[in-house]
Amino acid sequence: MSRVKALIHQDLPDQAEIALNDGRSLLRHYVPFVRAGVIQGALWQMQDITTIKEQQSRLEYLTERDPLTGLLNRRGFDRRLKLIERHALGQAGFTLALIDLDDFKRINDTLGHAAGDAVLVEVASRLKNLVRLSDMPARIGGDEFAILMPECRTEQQAVLVGERLLRAMDAPIRVEDAELHIHFSVGLALQRAGDDRQGALFQRADLALYEAKSTGRRQFRLFSPRLQHRHDELHLQREMLRAGLEHGRLLLHYQPVVTLDPEQGRFTARTFEALLRLHDAQGTLRRAEEFETALADPQLGMEVDRHVLGTAMRQMQEWKRQGLPLRLAVNVSPHHVAHPDFVPTVKEQLAAHPDVAPQNLTLEITEHGQLLDLRVVKATIGELRQLGLRIGLDDFGTGNASLSHLQQFDVSVVKIDRSFVRELLNDGVDLSISYGVLRLAQTLGVSAIAEGVETRAQCRALCLLGFRNLQGYVFAHPMPAEQVAAWLEHSAEQLSWMRPLASRHVLDTERAVQALVAHRMLVRKLLSNALERSEVQDLQAPDAAECCDLGRWLTQESRHWGPVPQFRRLMDTHGDFHRQIVVALANADPAADLNLNACSARVHAAFWDWVLHDPELQIDGEARHERLDTTGPR
């Protein structure tokens, strides 16, 4: 009534809404009649606008809500984000979470869109149950969700939110008769006082989401300046790569794969690997590792693949005209292999270079990164094999599912990653892995190449393991195409130190390596307390040093090599190792375990010292026995 009394003396029109206790809404109008500055009377009107208000609310709901899940849509979410930026609640800081369902497309493709919709509804329900009253969840895309959290203001709180979001999907989702295990990738970004507003916040959260997806999925990432730096670096790489394509600054260098032929007593180099190089605007020659991330870009990467394949095939034709029918290996990303344009691109390049025999071209699929849809990659590899091409797995042993790839894909070649070769002489684990992969490849009828061979000692050790295909700086650095013919002409002279390796070896290599691998396995079981009681009793026996695999092999070989100093040192070190075992078994002391591990490393080093530095080991088996019979032991 006080407002009504005030209006009686007001000479201006007025309008206001009145909310009644019964839920209805009225619109009040007041229009005064004024003459000569004096109020002569007034018109009062009360209008029931309850239905209009309900329709307006319904319209706002429809325009700002996702009809499938009932969550906010992108429009409603953006409006609330702008509101909170201006509200005092947002000035203290808040967090934005962007959520992506991992592998959601597979559900739509295999079970249908109705099943996909059911999954989205269940995900929305779990998000609603997870968030606080002040939080605002939304569905902002097909399988993309977002949550605005005004009360999440610190990195510690954001980390807890990320963990809760991942746990929310631990329980499977049941759709009809199927039980689906769905997981999230989450990107989180904090908005602090003074930060840029909406656009930058979404960009930060999106960068964090991209990081979570590209590093394995089913995880969350919190935005940091490091991620921004990586994003900026990626942008620079893409621009540099695109400029290289446009201005013809992409080129290939070639590195030989050396093949040993013990039966013929020689080595050859008939296969080269094409390695991508880029001359940047300053004239610096950059290796592919320096712009590898940019190559994962689907469109840009396919353009580079087309350029590389065309350049490689033209070079193969040129070598053929020079009388050098060389085979060539070209690296491709699994992301590109899964691209629908990849096989047509390969067919196009083969048709444009009819002198190239498909069987002389190997496409090496790197194992770094995720292989996307394995079924698509497998089908693509099948098409490539039908064209006559060979398929190789590069960096074998460092990818996500190396053995699975070897089982599923029709491959001709595997390349042992250089990381195993690098520590071959120092690490028993790398020895075991390299030996195991070689034997596995031989069992499957697949060629194995050891890459990253940088020293003669590594080369000789790999030959002892049984490798016949080797690649690395010790043979040749990657070179321009015009230098290949000259290198081939002088390779026999430059690599003359390899001639003894291309003959039959003195040692029983199979048993020698098996014995050393068994030694390493024994150490691992000892240090992890995984020995059976019978094994402990065997190791405590007085003749344990002679009865283990390495001991039996040493005893057998001592008939020929006993007086050799390096062999004697190996036997002594092996004896010390077994004495240390007795100490370690008798005392549950970490220091004893450390001594045992160090002693095992000395056995490993002594083995290779004997094998790699004894000139007697460079003659073949028949000559060894002949020399021993005529000259006696040294």
Side-chain angles (χ1 to χ4, degrees), residues 513-578:
V513 174
Q514 284 181 354
L516 194 59
V517 170
H519 168 82
R520 181 60 192 177
M521 292 173 60
L522 173 63
V523 175
R524 290 176 68 87
K525 293 181 73 173
L526 272 167
L527 296 178
S528 60
N529 296 317
L531 289 172
E532 301 289 341
R533 178 176 297 181
S534 60
E535 292 176 312
V536 173
Q537 293 173 349
D538 290 342
L539 290 173
Q540 291 174 330
D543 60 348
E546 290 78 30
C547 294
C548 71
D549 288 344
L550 184 56
R552 287 196 299 270
W553 181 79
L554 287 171
T555 300
Q556 176 182 326
E557 292 295 321
S558 65
R559 291 178 296 172
H560 304 299
W561 306 106
V564 178
Q566 289 91 341
F567 186 84
R568 190 73 255 164
R569 189 179 305 116
L570 173 58
M571 291 198 68
D572 292 342
T573 307
H574 180 251
D576 292 340
F577 169 74
H578 274 272

Side-chain angles (χ1 to χ4, degrees), residues 431-445:
L431 168 72
S432 301
I433 292 174
S434 300
Y435 177 74
V437 171
L438 173 64
R439 292 295 176 261
L440 176 63
Q442 291 174 335
T443 301
L444 297 176

